[in-house]
Amino acid sequence: MPLKIYPPVMDIYELVGNTPLINLSDYLQNTRIQLFAKAEWFNPGGSIKDRPAREIILAAEKEGKLNHKKRILDATSGNMGIAYTLLGRARGYKVTLCLPENVSPERKRLLKIFGAEIILTDPLESIDGAIMLARRLYQSDPEKFFYADQYSNPANVLAHYKTTGPEIWEQTSGKITHFIAGLGTSGTLMGVGKFLKEKNPHIKLIGIQPDAPLHGIEGLKHMLSALRPSIYQEDFLDEIIYVSTEEAYHMVKRLLQEKSLFVGVSSGAALAGALKLAQTLSEGVIVTVFPDSGHKYLSEAFWED
Amino acid sequence: MAVIVRIPTPLLSLTGGQREVQAEGSTLMDLIEDLERRYPGMKERLCDEEGNLRRFVNFFVNDEDVRFLEGAKTSLKDGDVVSIVPAIAGGLNP
Ligand SMILES: Cc1ncc(COP(=O)(O)O)c(C=O)c1O
């Protein structure tokens, strides 16, 4: 008897996307509102960033910007770097990453094991220092690098337009009324938002922002005080909801205690934001995303509080 | 007693863009109180409502994490360099 395996997965690129949608409606008192979160840690690299990394790599190959003489270069605080490194090496690419020195030891270790070259930048300058260095490196040797530039690359938005958006539409049978997500590069919100608004212009888009420039919500950017991603179009959003780091921590712990869901800090911020949004509605179907799991935050102190 | 304080990018708006400022205090908490007098709004960024150092802000005195010293009670002396480092994604762990 020949061995049959269903479905056969030929490479890691096929494992990206098609993540589960988790029903969290019982967090709401109002039974006319439903709340769902997309479990993005099911991606092979462990975060939502596999989606844009895949699209950025494939698009760059197609446009002739990436070939085996070049290294993939970008600034990242972790997840995108992990995604570039895993997906890149599957197609034979080497990766150089600029990251602020204060990214967690777990991330640096993962990146090293996966084979990335990492260049650390001044922790006082946060991700913006890493972005500036990546720009300088690229300018100093444009032949050596493909500068992926997730903050400006339209393929970042396109990934979510092509995958995350349609998945959410199908998983809710087109019933979604509100999409709310944290803003980092803003790729998730811009791409999913564009797809959903085309399907139904009444769907509302809500961005989540840290309530202060100095915050601990990894992955999110305080747009007012930081370098603005050029893919970010604020007027595309219907509303912005602010969340404190402490609120995010609190929700991370609730999800673990009440649902056995082990998520990262920006997922806690997503839930905190979604619950604030729900309080302003009388009915609706809210969808958010949980970008990654708790594994990369083990060294954080808040778990013990 | 003058201590040099290194300011992270997200707080530059409070110091008028200065990356290094001087302040005084015999402990880290005193220093934060003095920073608040010089640059109003600073304390709220660094401490929670109960006055504890925020979990996502790391303080280093001459490169030593105050968590391994005496936290907010860590004593300071003239010429010490205090760095305020955002702890996004954990600690400074080179
Ligand atoms: C953990 C985490 N949450 C949220 C985000 C934000 O997603 P986006 O860049 O699509 O806005 C990121 C992206 O870096 C992330 O790594």
Side-chain angles (χ1 to χ4, degrees):
Chain A
M1 281 275 283
L3 181 62
K4 284 192 177 172
I5 297 171
Y6 296 103
V9 174
M10 302 310 286
D11 80 275
I12 183 179
Y13 282 66
E14 293 173 27
L15 290 172
V16 177
N18 291 312
T19 53
L21 193 67
I22 300 177
N23 192 338
L24 296 172
S25 303
D26 61 354
Y27 271 125
L28 305 170
Q29 255 112 48
N30 182 344
T31 53
R32 288 186 305 158
I33 308 177
Q34 288 178 280
L35 171 61
F36 299 94
K38 215 147 158 55
E40 288 298 309
W41 65 88
F42 276 82
N43 285 296
S47 85
I48 192 167
K49 288 298 188 171
D50 287 350
R51 297 175 186 266
R54 174 176 67 177
E55 187 66 29
I56 284 173
I57 290 170
L58 296 180
E61 279 181 347
K62 213 184 265 165
E63 292 160 18
K65 293 179 187 155
L66 177 60
N67 55 52
H68 287 99
K69 286 187 220 105
K70 295 195 177 192
R71 301 180 70 97
I72 298 171
L73 167 72
D74 212 346
T76 157
S77 58
N79 280 331
M80 193 61 154
I82 289 166
Y84 287 138
T85 312
L86 279 185
L87 294 170
R89 67 178 300 157
R91 293 175 87 83
Y93 298 113
K94 297 212 158 59
V95 176
T96 297
L97 303 169
C98 301
L99 53 162
E101 197 175 324
N102 50 334
V103 308
S104 71
E106 297 95 310
R107 274 161 215 254
K108 277 185 244 172
R109 182 128 176 86
L110 275 177
L111 290 169
K112 282 208 182 114
I113 292 170
F114 293 168
E117 173 189 40
I118 59 181
I119 305 175
L120 299 174
T121 59
D122 186 346
L124 290 169
E125 292 177 13
S126 304
I127 187 70
D128 287 354
I131 295 175
M132 307 291 249
L133 180 69
R135 285 182 187 166
R136 280 203 302 277
L137 275 179
Y138 174 66
Q139 277 151 14
S140 72
D141 199 349
E143 290 308 309
K144 180 174 170 194
F145 297 111
F146 159 61
Y147 179 28
D149 197 0
Q150 56 167 326
Y151 293 93
S152 316
N153 194 326
N156 177 359
V157 180
L158 191 62
H160 296 288
Y161 179 83
K162 281 163 62 171
T163 70
T164 328
E167 287 170 32
I168 290 170
W169 182 256
E170 271 180 34
Q171 284 170 309
T172 61
S173 309
K175 299 278 185 346
I176 175 173
T177 59
H178 294 76
F179 180 67
I180 176 166
L183 291 165
T185 65
S186 80
T188 307
L189 202 54
M190 293 297 122
V192 172
K194 183 165 186 287
F195 180 86
L196 293 176
K197 288 259 188 198
E198 281 173 18
K199 283 286 181 188
N200 173 2
H202 299 299
I203 293 174
K204 297 274 185 268
L205 303 179
I206 301 96
I208 297 171
Q209 281 276 272
D211 68 343
L214 186 59
H215 66 90
I217 310 174
E218 166 63 35
L220 303 200
K221 224 167 188 287
H222 186 258
M223 295 293 184
L224 286 173
S225 64
L227 285 179
R228 243 167 205 253
S230 65
I231 57 174
Y232 178 49
Q233 290 175 270
E234 190 173 273
D235 51 14
F236 193 51
L237 303 185
D238 295 286
E239 194 183 341
I240 291 182
I241 287 181
Y242 293 88
V243 169
S244 72
T245 303
E246 286 83 1
E247 288 170 319
Y249 289 160
H250 177 67
M251 289 303 167
V252 166
K253 291 207 244 178
R254 271 191 73 183
L255 283 164
L256 182 60
Q257 283 155 8
E258 297 166 8
K259 298 277 178 196
S260 289
L261 292 173
F262 182 46
V263 300
V265 182
S266 72
S267 305
L271 178 58
L275 296 183
K276 287 185 189 186
L277 171 67
Q279 277 169 3
T280 67
L281 307 178
S282 56
E283 59 182 357
V285 176
I286 303 171
V287 176
T288 189
V289 294
F290 287 172
D292 65 1
S293 75
H295 291 93
K296 280 172 263 125
Y297 307 87
L298 289 176
S299 64
E300 295 214 13
F302 74 89
W303 297 104
E304 277 103 51
D305 287 349
Chain B
M1 263 206 325
V3 171
I4 295 165
V5 187
R6 300 184 61 212
I7 305 294
T9 303
L11 295 184
L12 289 181
S13 60
L14 294 180
T15 62
Q18 290 183 82
R19 291 206 161 270
E20 260 185 30
V21 301
Q22 295 212 346
E24 291 182 15
S26 54
T27 64
L28 179 59
M29 192 44 80
D30 290 347
L31 182 80
I32 291 173
E33 297 290 356
D34 189 46
L35 283 171
E36 172 66 23
R37 278 189 288 277
R38 295 167 194 245
Y39 308 105
M42 196 64 101
K43 186 173 179 193
E44 170 200 13
R45 298 283 161 75
L46 305 178
C47 302
D48 64 20
E49 293 85 46
E50 285 109 60
N52 302 311
L53 301 180
R54 288 193 188 269
R55 282 295 197 196
F56 52 90
V57 186
N58 289 337
F59 296 86
F60 295 85
V61 177
N62 307 325
D63 293 334
E64 269 225 69
D65 190 333
V66 300
R67 286 206 184 98
F68 304 113
L69 301 169
E70 285 168 80
K73 297 194 199 96
T74 301
S75 53
L76 301 173
K77 57 183 189 321
D78 236 356
D80 277 347
V81 178
V82 173
S83 304
I84 303 173
V85 181
I88 284 212
L92 182 82
N93 219 332

